[in-house]
Amino acid sequence: MTALAPGVLLIADPFLKDPNFSRTVVLLCEHQEKGSFGFVLNKLFDQHLDELIPEVVITKIPIYVGGPVQMDTIHFVHQQPEVITGGLEISPGVYWGGHFDSVVANINQGKIDLDKIKFFIGYSGWSSGQLDEEMKEKSWIVTPALPTLVFAQDEQQIWQNALKNMGSNFAMMANFPIDPSLN
């Protein structure tokens, strides 16, 4: 089993009922004794980056709901450390954060590959011991983060594809109904 650490994916168990995390995949960016922090990769927000940050002149850049905490903050992960400075590499080729003003300037100048950056409003947070308890309850399946999943454009397929990437035992879970009593 993959250990909890920065740069892993938390794949929601097919029967997880929490509406914030049902059928989600969370990129874990920080995991310490004092708590954990990450971003939901597959819940599209109903506005675009230029609608929230007027300085962004490129339209239709998607934003994802990173989680239910601090929905008045914007975060990002990327694959472009040569253009975006100040980020922290959390898994091979995946960086969390960096200098936001330079991100905006580089987007406006066309210097950022928009397929290699993902923006989030809010984040997912767990207090000390909370995520460990959820692991004991089998709420999450843990796997190393692959850039192909982190930066996937079709958010509706990320959860299924994350399970399928884990092998045949998990692949069949991707087809489980949300409520098995309706099957």
Side-chain angles (χ1 to χ4, degrees):
M1 184 174 99
T2 303
L4 291 175
V8 300
L9 296 179
L10 304 175
I11 305 168
D13 176 82
F15 306 116
L16 183 64
K17 299 283 189 230
D18 183 332
N20 292 308
F21 297 107
S22 177
R23 304 274 166 131
T24 62
V25 176
V26 177
L27 173 63
L28 197 59
C29 295
E30 190 171 288
H31 180 68
Q32 299 179 11
E33 191 174 313
K34 64 182 179 180
S36 304
F37 173 97
F39 304 110
V40 174
L41 297 174
N42 60 328
K43 284 180 79 172
L44 201 56
F45 189 58
D46 60 3
Q47 290 181 288
H48 295 97
L49 189 63
D50 60 294
E51 295 172 279
L52 299 178
I53 308 291
E55 295 82 16
V56 175
V57 297
I58 308 291
T59 61
K60 305 294 183 209
I61 298 173
I63 298 179
Y64 295 82
V65 177
V69 182
Q70 288 191 341
M71 292 289 292
D72 59 346
T73 59
I74 294 181
H75 309 268
F76 61 96
V77 295
H78 63 90
Q79 292 182 287
Q80 300 173 90
E82 67 286 349
V83 180
I84 302 169
T85 59
L88 175 67
E89 189 172 28
I90 56 171
S91 73
V94 178
Y95 296 80
W96 163 39
H99 295 76
F100 194 76
D101 291 341
S102 101
V103 170
V104 171
N106 283 315
I107 286 174
N108 290 341
Q109 294 169 22
K111 294 180 180 176
I112 291 184
D113 181 344
L114 297 176
D115 290 335
K116 294 183 177 186
I117 191 166
K118 204 168 209 177
F119 293 93
F120 306 94
I121 187 161
Y123 65 88
S124 301
W126 294 266
S127 60
S128 179
Q130 185 180 4
L131 185 54
D132 294 316
E133 282 301 312
E134 290 180 16
M135 294 301 298
K136 288 177 189 171
E137 295 166 2
K138 302 201 181 305
S139 297
W140 302 102
I141 301 162
V142 181
T143 189
L146 299 174
T148 53
L149 287 171
V150 173
F151 298 98
Q153 301 298 311
D154 184 0
E155 75 281 346
Q156 295 181 6
Q157 294 299 312
I158 293 173
W159 183 79
Q160 289 90 348
N161 289 341
L163 286 169
K164 289 174 184 175
N165 281 350
M166 293 187 67
S168 59
N169 288 343
F170 291 96
M172 67 179 170
M173 294 171 79
N175 297 318
F176 284 1
I178 291 174
D179 184 348
S181 69
L182 299 176
N183 197 9

